[in-house]
Amino acid sequence: MPDPMPTLTIAVLPGDGIGPEVIHQSLRVLDTVAKKFGHHFEYRFGQIGATAIRSTGSPFPSETLELCKTSDAILFGAVGDPSFDNDPSAKVRPEQGLLSMRKELGLFANIRPVQTYPALHHLSPLKSNRLKNTDLIIYRELTGGIYFGEKKSSADGQWALDTCTYSVDEINRIGRLAFSHALQRKKRLCLIDKANFLETSRLWRKTIAELSLEYPEVQTECMFVDNAAMQLILHPAQFDVILTENMFGDILSDEASVLAGSLGLLPSASIGTGPSLFEPIHGSYPQATGKDIANPIGSILSAAMLLESLGLMEEAQSIKEAVDWSIQNGFVTKDIDPVNFYFTSTIGELLCDYMTNRVDEAVHKANIQIRKSTII
Ligand code: IPM
Ligand code: MN
């Protein structure tokens, strides 16, 4: 008898808006993986964001930090709530919980893969010949730059200030991760910056140029961020690994999500010194909350990345295959197909059925549409 697999503890932070709904589907998929491969995952729930502010006063309570630090990995939904956005006098905001979590857990690298699905090319605003062969990954620095620099505003409300700072160490540590990943891919790395104007960007260029000497097999290039925004739409297939600072990475990854067909499809991993965190790149999408229409794939693929980070490659692969199958067969949510769409929970159920070989070749779409059991 092989040794039983050790229990893996996963901190689960559903957060706000559609966070709990998409996380719920990810947990169903993880449960299916556990059953299929004989693992045991222990979920430990924690609060973050608006939900946490309402019950504890803090957007990232210390109990949640503790829970994260003592788990093998973290699965996170989303934060954000319009009642805070529309209140300029709010002292604490849900998003602060996200930033505190990133900082306190030392999650300095955010990795956002952008894959395109030929079955969705026709839904993209781009012509499908532009999307062909697009497969890129963004390494976004996550705990530095303008997000974490000094902030001020004058008492009379006439000026405000945000500062952007980077150190060589901060650039090198994410740089090494990005170069190592490039070695396993098409061996191309593009640093995106604004070195024609910003001092911090010039430091990035100099530091990455030096670091690139340690990776002679990787073809390294640099691009200004304004041009990169255009190139991502004109010729996305030219990119392999993109490396960039915090705010440029935030903006470019939303832009790049259009290539995939929807923001709702994209997963991400944030890694650092302790346990890693996995989250979809989308936000809390308050307009969709409770309607069972959110796309759970970004979160489900984040759960697959979580499994990969723990060395469970075959398990992750089975999730990815189920996702490919659902997309290829048009089992998609409203963000992708506003006419013939399926509900969040139906997609989760279908993926679980597929993973346990319970979906027939001739799946009865009509049954799924009316949300009957997916077992035909
Ligand atoms: C993201 C989000 C966050 C960010 C917000 C909610 C603070 O847009 O994870 O990309 O800008 O980092
Ligand atoms: Mn963002």
Side-chain angles (χ1 to χ4, degrees):
M1 279 278 284
D3 283 347
M5 283 292 291
T7 298
L8 293 170
T9 53
I10 303 176
V12 181
L13 316 182
D16 307 322
I18 59 167
E21 294 166 55
V22 296
I23 286 281
H24 184 64
Q25 301 313 318
S26 294
L27 297 184
R28 284 173 88 177
V29 167
L30 283 174
D31 284 340
T32 304
V33 166
K35 238 189 241 151
K36 184 171 167 173
F37 293 89
H39 299 311
H40 186 241
F41 302 140
E42 182 194 324
Y43 308 128
R44 304 156 80 202
F45 289 85
Q47 291 193 327
I48 188 166
T51 327
I53 297 176
R54 290 198 182 98
S55 66
T56 71
S58 158
F60 187 56
S62 52
E63 306 85 74
T64 307
L65 173 63
E66 219 26 59
L67 186 82
C68 292
K69 278 186 175 162
T70 53
S71 298
D72 294 310
I74 306 153
L75 191 64
F76 165 61
V79 288
D81 188 306
S83 61
F84 290 88
D85 298 343
N86 303 331
D87 175 8
S89 69
K91 293 245 159 19
V92 279
R93 295 178 182 281
E95 290 78 6
Q96 286 164 355
L98 183 56
L99 297 196
S100 310
M101 176 165 70
R102 289 171 178 169
K103 195 71 172 179
E104 289 175 42
L105 292 169
L107 300 167
F108 61 82
N110 183 225
I111 302 161
R112 299 184 164 184
V114 180
Q115 196 201 323
T116 60
Y117 298 88
L120 300 184
H121 281 182
H122 67 288
L123 296 171
S124 166
L126 298 191
K127 293 199 179 76
S128 58
N129 62 348
R130 293 202 193 271
L131 294 169
K132 223 169 123 207
N133 300 325
T134 295
D135 177 12
L136 59 91
I137 189 156
I138 300 176
Y139 271 73
R140 168 189 175 195
E141 202 290 326
L142 203 59
T143 51
I146 201 161
Y147 274 61
F148 290 95
E150 189 197 352
K151 294 175 191 302
K152 261 192 208 158
S153 54
S154 65
D156 62 3
Q158 290 307 297
W159 57 264
L161 162 115
D162 292 289
T163 42
C164 182
T165 314
Y166 270 109
S167 70
V168 169
D169 286 347
E170 283 174 314
I171 299 168
N172 272 327
R173 64 185 180 179
I174 185 170
R176 283 185 199 287
L177 293 179
F179 273 112
S180 312
H181 203 159
L183 280 177
Q184 297 157 28
R185 294 175 47 103
K186 286 178 256 165
K187 300 188 174 53
R188 294 205 310 268
L189 183 141
C190 179
L191 170 68
I192 295 179
D193 61 26
K194 189 74 184 172
N196 48 349
F197 200 64
L198 298 178
E199 211 55 63
T200 42
S201 287
R202 285 193 274 270
L203 187 67
W204 273 83
R205 269 206 189 191
K206 186 167 168 283
T207 309
I208 293 302
E210 277 165 24
L211 190 60
S212 71
L213 302 176
E214 293 177 30
Y215 301 87
E217 285 166 63
V218 178
Q219 186 195 323
T220 308
E221 62 161 338
C222 303
M223 199 180 275
F224 296 139
V225 62
D226 45 355
N227 182 29
M230 186 172 73
Q231 294 299 328
L232 262 176
I233 299 298
L234 284 177
H235 306 294
Q238 73 184 284
F239 297 104
D240 179 23
V241 175
I242 287 177
L243 170 63
T244 191
E245 63 93 66
N246 203 344
M247 189 160 74
F248 296 158
D250 178 44
I251 299 167
L252 293 177
S253 57
D254 269 31
E255 187 192 4
S257 75
V258 172
L259 305 170
S262 167
L263 186 64
L265 288 169
L266 296 196
S268 84
S270 299
I271 62 177
T273 42
S276 303
L277 176 137
F278 301 84
E279 59 169 311
I281 83 158
H282 63 69
S284 61
Y285 192 12
Q287 306 86 323
T289 307
K291 295 188 179 154
D292 202 21
I293 56 169
N295 192 338
I297 300 296
S299 176
I300 290 168
L301 289 175
S302 302
M305 290 181 88
L306 181 154
L307 296 176
E308 276 170 3
S309 80
L310 299 173
L312 303 178
M313 300 303 180
E314 208 187 318
E315 291 81 344
Q317 190 55 31
S318 83
I319 298 180
K320 291 199 274 190
E321 278 167 16
V323 168
D324 283 347
W325 167 82
S326 70
I327 290 174
Q328 256 161 39
N329 286 281
F331 300 125
V332 292
T333 39
K334 201 174 178 181
D335 50 315
I336 292 180
D337 192 338
V339 182
N340 295 306
F341 65 88
Y342 294 83
F343 291 97
T344 313
S345 52
T346 313
I347 298 291
E349 191 179 351
L350 261 173
L351 295 178
C352 294
D353 286 349
Y354 183 84
M355 288 166 67
T356 47
N357 306 315
R358 286 189 292 163
V359 174
D360 204 77
E361 276 298 305
V363 69
H364 287 190
K365 288 196 185 187
N367 279 353
I368 298 163
Q369 231 138 10
I370 53 172
R371 306 177 69 189
K372 276 198 191 157
S373 162
T374 55
I375 304 167
I376 333 283

